[in-house]
Amino acid sequence: MTLRDTVALALLRGFPGQALPEALRLVTGARPTGSCRSLTQLVVRLGLRLPGGCIRDARERADESLARAEEQGVRPITWTDRAYPPCLAAIADPPPVLWLRGHPDVLNTPSVAIVGSRTASRYARDVAEQLGSDLAGRGVTVVSGLARGVDSAAHRGALDGGRTVAVLGSSVEIVYPPEHADLAEAIAAKGGAVVSEFPPETPPRPAHFPQRNRIISGLLRAVVVVEASDRSGSLITARLALDQGREVMAIPGSVLGGRNRGSHSLLKDGAKVVERADDILEEIGLLGGNTPVRADAPPVPPDALLACLSDGEACDLDDLTERSGLDSAALLARLLDLQLQGFVQRVEGGRFVRVIGKW
């Protein structure tokens, strides 16, 4: 499907979010009988009844968004782009398009989110900044939402030692809060990225922030919550992370005043206690280096999915689903693991190849 039609899909009024996984499968299929090459064909294949003229309207708005993005130096990354992170493609409702300022390769690196209170205490800000710096210095990308408090502290710490990604509840050229515009510029300039699913000229709205949280959790291996009350928005990110099969961890804090009630609730429910960066790295299998390795796996693990791929052969999701017997969610999750371990690479057209000589 063309870039224009994929952007139009994201802007299509009335398109149900629960149809996104099947839409992804149809769009990334390589075989003519199993794939959709236009938005009109996709809507028909999904059996959707949409108001007349809505596809034309979505395409016109897509043209406007793409023109603005080009003017502003913003890159659209669609489902079929090799830069689209496979871990995000594996969630229940992946965005068809990510709009990005900065370096797209950072989206395909081992990542951890640090999230928490916007009205954070000095202690929480110091912890978030230290964790951000320590993780980034060990080769882990720090992801957060560029908000006041914990988020901005984590970004600033990460910039000291490595790279960070900010996920916005507005379009990427409209930074919120506005006082973080310089921070966003530094993130994009220093090897990181500022990303959003919202097209250019989209202002921040209250409903956008819970919506963007699924992208924060979808981009990474684990979420670390720093100082969250029992009504904190960071608990939404933690719940989404659990739904997506990610690890959830929390920093313990004072029992006075209720600032940490949400974090402590996560700990009571089984979240890992974090006191330092090594606690996080150990949980996600990165302790001792910055290459993800499962502790119980041999150096070159036998793998049924790898056995479905010949050296240098590019396969789409339909092929791999048929060969492996895995459903879409399980297949994408396994492909993510193999990609992070260096056994598989994603190439143009949303296809995957086995790295020659790795197994």
Side-chain angles (χ1 to χ4, degrees):
M1 199 156 76
T2 65
L3 171 61
R4 181 198 191 203
D5 268 5
T6 307
V7 173
L9 169 62
L11 299 171
L12 189 60
R13 295 187 176 97
F15 190 88
Q18 63 268 27
L20 286 171
E22 179 63 11
L24 172 61
R25 187 188 70 80
L26 291 172
V27 168
T28 57
R31 291 170 292 179
T33 58
S35 62
C36 292
R37 299 306 182 203
S38 74
L39 180 56
T40 303
Q41 186 183 9
L42 177 65
V43 169
V44 171
R45 287 285 298 275
L46 291 172
L48 300 178
R49 296 180 178 273
L50 300 175
C54 64
I55 292 179
R56 182 180 64 253
D57 175 67
R59 283 174 170 152
E60 290 174 355
R61 289 189 292 132
D63 290 338
E64 294 171 0
S65 294
L66 289 167
R68 293 189 192 112
E70 185 173 6
E71 292 171 1
Q72 297 160 359
V74 174
R75 173 176 171 177
I77 298 175
T78 69
W79 280 339
T80 56
D81 194 314
R82 66 185 303 173
Y84 194 95
C87 50
L88 188 60
I91 71 173
D93 49 354
V97 183
L98 286 176
W99 303 88
L100 177 142
R101 291 173 56 207
H103 300 259
D105 65 293
V106 75
L107 301 180
N108 287 291
T109 57
S111 304
V112 168
I114 300 176
V115 296
S117 174
R118 287 175 169 80
T119 57
S121 66
R122 178 60 182 269
Y123 163 77
R125 296 196 304 272
D126 287 347
V127 168
E129 187 166 350
Q130 187 64 57
L131 283 177
S133 178
D134 291 346
L135 288 171
R138 304 283 284 276
V140 175
T141 299
V142 174
V143 179
S144 200
L146 203 68
R148 299 180 179 100
V150 166
D151 289 20
S152 57
H155 288 306
R156 289 190 175 97
L159 287 174
D160 287 340
R163 303 201 286 180
T164 181
V165 171
V167 183
L168 304 191
S170 59
S171 54
V172 296
E173 85 286 359
I174 302 177
V175 174
Y176 183 84
E179 65 264 26
H180 289 169
D182 288 346
L183 179 57
E185 289 292 336
I187 289 170
K190 295 183 178 180
V194 179
V195 301
S196 175
E197 68 177 308
F198 302 109
E201 298 190 7
T202 301
R205 297 189 176 98
H208 290 174
F209 294 94
Q211 183 177 336
R212 66 90 190 265
N213 288 349
R214 83 190 195 287
I215 299 177
I216 292 177
S217 57
L219 284 171
L220 40 85
R221 308 291 295 277
V223 171
V224 180
V225 178
V226 182
E227 197 175 82
S229 69
D230 54 4
R231 301 184 65 181
S232 172
S234 58
L235 298 183
I236 297 174
T237 308
R239 286 194 294 271
L240 290 166
L242 289 171
D243 290 343
Q244 294 165 356
R246 278 42 168 176
E247 301 291 339
V248 173
M249 311 176 214
I251 302 288
S254 171
V255 298
L256 302 176
R259 280 184 174 273
N260 292 285
R261 197 165 291 151
S263 303
H264 291 169
S265 177
L266 292 173
L267 293 171
K268 290 176 183 177
D269 290 340
K272 181 182 176 68
V273 174
V274 171
E275 295 179 337
R276 54 184 184 152
D278 279 359
D279 296 328
I280 303 167
L281 297 171
E282 180 181 27
E283 190 71 8
I284 62 174
L286 291 178
L287 191 60
N290 60 7
T291 302
V293 181
R294 282 181 15 213
D296 59 345
V300 183
D303 187 274
L305 184 54
L306 280 177
C308 297
L309 289 163
S310 302
D311 282 348
E313 178 189 17
C315 290
D316 65 24
L317 293 176
D318 279 346
D319 288 329
L320 292 174
T321 297
E322 183 177 319
R323 296 182 190 184
S324 67
L326 298 172
D327 62 32
S328 295
L331 174 62
L332 285 165
R334 184 65 191 130
L335 285 168
L336 168 62
D337 286 340
L338 292 172
Q339 186 172 9
L340 290 174
Q341 293 177 57
F343 292 103
V344 168
Q345 289 181 342
R346 184 171 180 170
V347 296
E348 295 293 345
R351 303 183 195 182
F352 295 86
V353 297
R354 196 176 84 189
V355 177
I356 296 175
K358 288 290 287 185
W359 182 69

